[in-house]
Amino acid sequence: MAVAQSRQVAQMITARTGREVEIVGVTTLGDVSRAQLTQIGGTGVFVSALRDALLAGEVDLAVHSLKDLPAQRAGLAAGIVLAAVPPRDDPRDALVARDGAKLADLPPGARIGTGSPRRAAQLLGLRGDLRCVPIRGNAGTRLGKVDSGELDGVVLAYAGLARIGCANAVTQVFEPDEMLPAPGQGALAVECRDGEPELAALLGVVTDQASVAAVTAERSLLEALEAGCSAPIGAYAAGLEKLQMQAAVMSTDGSRVLRAHGGAPGAEARRLGRDLAAELLRSGASGLISVPQGTDEQRE
């Protein structure tokens, strides 16, 4: 997945600037460990290794799934800047089930693979009889568990499946009113070293301002809730001149969901996220944010 994402950004940079980009693979603890992500540092383990390679001069730029980046300002890395946010891909979640089944077609007690509390909570809200099974591994490994019959289905990010050429395996795409995506899902982030303005300007040509506004609002909500990527929180914003956003915090069993929605000019994206977070906190969101150990949000 990481290689596919990097290749996507590299092709975009070359198309817009004429500059060739070499892909350099970086293996992280998150890639080789079979432990749940919360046990080894969350999705930040993917980010930190790439940032170390940047600071060591081994690479000139790093491509991340934007939702892997820590939302809190404390998560900002010294000596590194966010240089670009390319146009966001489809942020929705997708079901891959056997025999082309949609969620409503699955048998009672169907086993659905997901390592995400957010996805599990919303699946249970749609169908309380489902059995959500924690799962790790790359997309191919997860899809293989469906093919083998070990699972009735898996839920993954549609953008991730599309990037690796597996969109045709999708049997149902969930609209945001059915399953809110994770903040930043479907978006990529390009980082480079601070103090290299020419490189930052070169990378900046692939930035999409509407995508920047949307993910800024979503991640501002996550920051204000003081929650990580493993918390059962969904958010989706879209628009630029008029940014509309919906957000939810849910119990892990799907029995309780707190929702908020609102709008603001794109230039006030950060305020919009903070305002919706404040609304959710007033409704009691802090009591739902704590997540048991052993769960993780799917890395795209």
Side-chain angles (χ1 to χ4, degrees):
M1 188 76 72
V3 173
Q5 293 175 171
S6 297
R7 186 175 294 117
Q8 178 180 334
V9 172
Q11 291 172 345
M12 193 180 304
I13 292 171
T14 299
R16 298 190 182 187
T17 69
R19 301 284 293 275
E20 293 295 327
V21 180
E22 177 187 357
I23 305 297
V24 178
V26 177
T27 300
T28 75
L29 176 61
D31 294 314
V32 299
S33 174
R34 295 298 92 197
Q36 296 290 345
L37 289 187
T38 49
Q39 297 171 347
I40 57 175
T43 51
V45 299
F46 299 112
V47 174
S48 60
L50 295 179
R51 286 175 167 174
D52 288 345
L54 260 182
L55 292 173
E58 298 170 8
V59 297
D60 296 307
L61 60 110
V63 178
H64 310 277
S65 288
L66 193 141
K67 72 185 183 70
D68 286 354
L69 297 182
Q72 287 72 19
R73 293 184 184 277
L76 297 176
I80 291 177
V81 295
L82 177 62
V85 176
R88 186 183 200 173
D89 292 324
D90 194 324
R92 297 175 295 175
D93 289 300
L95 172 70
V96 177
R98 285 186 288 122
D99 303 320
K102 298 186 182 301
L103 192 68
D105 302 326
L106 294 173
R111 293 166 54 86
I112 306 297
T114 176
S116 160
R118 173 190 62 82
R119 290 181 180 134
Q122 293 182 97
L123 283 167
L124 292 171
L126 293 170
R127 275 192 55 177
D129 66 295
L130 297 175
R131 295 178 59 192
C132 293
V133 179
I135 186 174
R136 276 217 62 198
N138 61 30
T141 298
R142 299 182 189 214
L143 296 176
K145 292 181 182 294
V146 178
D147 293 336
S148 69
E150 181 178 342
L151 296 171
D152 295 293
V154 294
V155 177
L156 302 167
Y158 183 85
L161 290 168
R163 287 168 188 154
I164 61 171
C166 290
N168 60 346
V170 172
T171 58
Q172 181 176 350
V173 178
F174 296 103
E175 297 301 327
D177 59 354
E178 298 174 294
M179 184 176 294
L180 274 176
Q185 184 162 299
L188 298 175
V190 185
E191 291 186 327
C192 69
R193 287 180 295 275
D194 197 4
E196 298 189 21
E198 291 185 7
L199 177 59
L202 176 73
L203 299 175
V205 302
V206 303
T207 286
D208 176 68
Q209 292 302 326
S211 298
V212 171
V215 300
T216 296
E218 295 166 14
R219 288 167 56 77
S220 176
L221 173 112
L222 201 60
E223 179 183 15
L225 290 174
E226 298 184 351
C229 62
S230 295
I233 296 170
Y236 176 58
L240 181 57
E241 292 185 5
K242 183 63 173 180
L243 191 64
Q244 296 290 338
M245 179 172 166
Q246 50 185 313
V249 177
M250 57 217 75
S251 61
T252 53
D253 64 359
S255 63
R256 187 181 179 204
V257 181
L258 302 176
R259 299 186 184 275
H261 61 87
E268 299 179 21
R270 190 173 299 280
R271 177 185 63 78
L272 175 60
R274 290 197 300 261
D275 286 351
L276 295 191
E279 182 179 339
L280 289 167
L281 289 170
R282 287 193 296 270
S283 299
S286 58
L288 302 179
I289 288 174
S290 177
V291 176
Q293 291 297 306
T295 53
D296 63 85
E297 179 70 68
Q298 139 94 19
R299 185 198 188 200
E300 293 182 346

